[in-house]
Amino acid sequence: MLRPLRLWVMYLPQLAACYLLGLLGRNIVIELAAKYAWNNYLVVDLLMPFAGLARLGSIIAMFLVLRSAIPVLAAMPRISLRNVDIFANVVLPFFVIYLAWKMFQDDWLTYEQKAMWHRVGAHMTTGTKVVNLGDVPVTNYVWVLIAGAFALRLVLNLKFIKNRLPGWFVFIRVYLDALWVFLVLSFSASKGVNFFLSPSAWFKERRIVVWFDEMRSELFSHFRPLEVLWGFVSDAWHIVWGAAAVPLIWLAIAGIIYGSSSNASWRGVLRRLAGIDSQVVADRLAPTRDQVQRRVTSRVSEQTRGKAKDWLLSQFGSAKPIVDSARLVLHGGLVLLSGYVLVYLCLAWLDMSDSFLTTQMQVGGYLTRGFAWILGPHPLSFWNGVAPVLTAISGVLVSSLRVCVIASVFAHC
């Protein structure tokens, strides 16, 4: 339980340096986008993924700093930094967090604030029309960019092409992964497409689900206790799922970075979480599995199956580390994972910057407020200079401690 605090005290300078470098890279990207693309959202769409990649690189560096300090992780096979596939595997889950934690929103807001001065200056000097800040920050060519980036990514992942490319080409592959994911999520956010932003909300809007919910409401309206119980269970599930999703995804990302143990199995997950004897489940499913296997074998030749398997692995093999990591994390058990989620949310409460808990105009969290309480009342000019420093200190302290907690919990799993 004390390991995260011990790691935090020992490695705070290194972790702080990684965090600040990532924040600096993100700010530089946004400054360049605002200066050179204030009137061209097409160029902005091509530049903004680098802001997320800068933060991603700093977080991966923070995890790697802690590897040697945790014996269980230090004993696992090391992943060479030259193997940039680790970045490609983490891009999708990290960008999901980037969207859920409102980091996309903060990046776009910062860009619009900085670009506004360039637009106003151009309007005053040349009469150029100022772009409305309510405009959607995606261009009409976004579908061309998405399709092009995704298609090029698929081509570059083909085995016979991938093996012939020079080593430095992996950086282009990482950028293509980041670009198409970033554009899909940004376009979904701007158009309110719930399928990508909130799958549960999209599912609730399906006709059969709406019909079932109306029937349930009509039935429960005659039994008030059932209505109250249903509302309590629904609210509790919504809170638990909303609170647990991002912390658990971070554990999966840690598994991709550190690697997964070969001892982890789905049978162990069943035994650990539900207390179910995995052998009994396997025996019950064996006849169905054998029947499906016989049908596939009789209808599809071995050569065709081999080619299909190779193609699937070349295109979707990057999902395997995510699945392996999730399987290992679930071995931690409900008690450990519940405690971890609670600690994670407490840290988010301390520092709300880049957090789903904050609003667009709010800065910092309760740790920043604590610093302000210690300093006492001062004029507004004082806070204009000090507040950004306090917010940065709060972000460094909380983010570094959060990484220590994630790495320690993963090591325990």
Side-chain angles (χ1 to χ4, degrees):
M1 293 177 64
L2 296 178
R3 176 188 284 169
L5 292 176
R6 179 174 59 84
L7 294 175
W8 184 55
V9 173
M10 293 174 57
Y11 291 91
L12 181 58
Q14 296 95 316
L15 297 175
C18 295
Y19 175 84
L20 291 175
L21 284 175
L23 190 61
L24 176 63
R26 174 252 189 191
N27 291 339
I28 290 176
V29 170
I30 296 177
E31 287 281 359
L32 292 176
K35 183 176 182 179
Y36 296 107
W38 56 267
N39 61 344
N40 191 335
Y41 275 133
L42 176 62
V43 178
V44 176
D45 289 337
L46 296 175
L47 288 177
M48 288 298 282
F50 286 107
L53 287 177
R55 299 293 294 272
L56 173 59
S58 70
I59 292 172
I60 291 178
M62 294 169 73
F63 278 116
L64 294 179
V65 164
L66 299 176
R67 177 196 288 275
S68 60
I70 304 177
V72 175
L73 301 180
M76 300 183 71
R78 291 183 176 271
I79 301 176
S80 174
L81 285 178
R82 294 182 179 180
N83 184 10
V84 193
D85 280 342
I86 183 177
F87 288 87
N89 292 334
V90 177
V91 162
L92 179 57
F94 174 76
F95 272 29
V96 170
I97 294 178
Y98 214 71
L99 178 70
W101 220 244
K102 292 189 178 179
M103 295 181 184
F104 271 140
Q105 183 174 323
D106 290 340
D107 286 354
W108 279 117
L109 179 65
T110 304
Y111 163 77
E112 292 290 1
Q113 289 174 338
K114 294 181 180 299
M116 177 181 63
W117 300 107
H118 296 281
R119 292 169 183 154
V120 172
H123 178 68
M124 294 177 64
T125 56
T126 63
T128 304
K129 180 180 181 296
V130 178
V131 179
N132 183 3
L133 296 185
D135 289 346
V136 176
V138 289
T139 68
N140 295 330
Y141 305 101
V142 66
W143 287 114
V144 178
L145 291 177
I146 293 174
F150 187 73
L152 189 56
R153 169 197 178 269
L154 293 180
V155 172
L156 294 180
N157 279 346
L158 293 175
K159 191 173 182 179
F160 67 91
I161 295 180
K162 183 178 179 181
N163 295 335
R164 296 180 181 180
L165 294 174
W168 56 267
F169 221 83
V170 291
F171 294 101
I172 296 180
R173 290 173 46 220
V174 171
Y175 172 71
L176 290 175
D177 274 333
L179 179 62
W180 79 264
V181 173
F182 170 82
L183 290 177
V184 168
L185 295 179
S186 298
F187 184 78
S188 301
S190 64
K191 299 299 184 181
V193 181
N194 287 335
F195 180 77
F196 295 105
L197 302 179
S198 177
S200 59
W202 177 86
F203 180 75
K204 289 179 181 179
E205 294 174 355
R206 302 308 93 195
R207 289 184 178 181
I208 188 171
V209 178
V210 173
W211 172 82
F212 174 79
D213 191 55
E214 292 176 351
M215 294 294 293
R216 191 267 315 158
S217 300
E218 180 65 24
L219 178 62
F220 284 8
S221 63
H222 303 286
F223 302 96
R224 182 60 181 171
L226 289 178
E227 182 69 25
V228 173
L229 179 61
W230 179 268
F232 174 79
V233 172
S234 299
D235 292 341
W237 170 254
H238 177 73
I239 293 174
V240 169
W241 175 250
V246 169
L248 293 179
I249 293 176
W250 272 123
L251 280 181
I253 290 178
I256 298 173
I257 297 172
Y258 291 130
S260 299
S261 172
S262 58
N263 296 327
S265 65
W266 291 115
R267 295 185 178 185
V269 171
L270 288 175
R271 184 169 56 253
R272 180 69 173 167
L273 293 181
I276 300 175
D277 188 354
S278 56
Q279 189 59 44
V280 174
V281 177
D283 293 340
R284 292 179 178 178
L285 296 178
T288 304
R289 180 190 61 196
D290 294 340
Q291 184 178 3
V292 172
Q293 187 173 1
R294 284 195 302 270
R295 289 183 178 179
V296 172
T297 304
S298 61
R299 296 182 180 182
V300 183
S301 65
E302 183 177 355
Q303 183 179 6
T304 303
R305 293 200 307 271
K307 291 182 178 180
K309 182 178 179 181
D310 291 340
W311 184 83
L312 289 174
L313 288 176
S314 66
Q315 302 303 329
F316 304 104
S318 58
K320 186 177 184 300
I322 301 176
V323 176
D324 293 342
S325 177
R327 183 172 59 225
L328 177 60
V329 166
L330 292 176
H331 278 76
L334 289 177
V335 175
L336 173 72
L337 296 179
S338 299
Y340 158 71
V341 170
L342 179 61
V343 172
Y344 189 98
L345 292 179
C346 289
L347 293 176
W349 175 76
L350 286 176
D351 183 70
M352 296 183 184
S353 59
D354 294 337
S355 168
F356 75 99
L357 297 174
T358 186
T359 59
Q360 287 190 348
M361 300 308 295
Q362 184 179 355
V363 179
Y366 284 94
L367 184 58
T368 305
R369 297 183 185 185
F371 291 151
W373 178 79
I374 293 175
L375 292 175
H378 288 281
L380 180 60
S381 58
F382 172 84
W383 291 116
N384 289 337
V386 173
V389 178
L390 296 181
T391 303
I393 294 175
S394 175
V396 167
L397 295 177
V398 174
S399 297
S400 57
L401 180 56
R402 181 186 297 129
V403 170
C404 293
V405 171
I406 296 171
S408 300
V409 171
F410 179 78
H412 182 83
C413 293

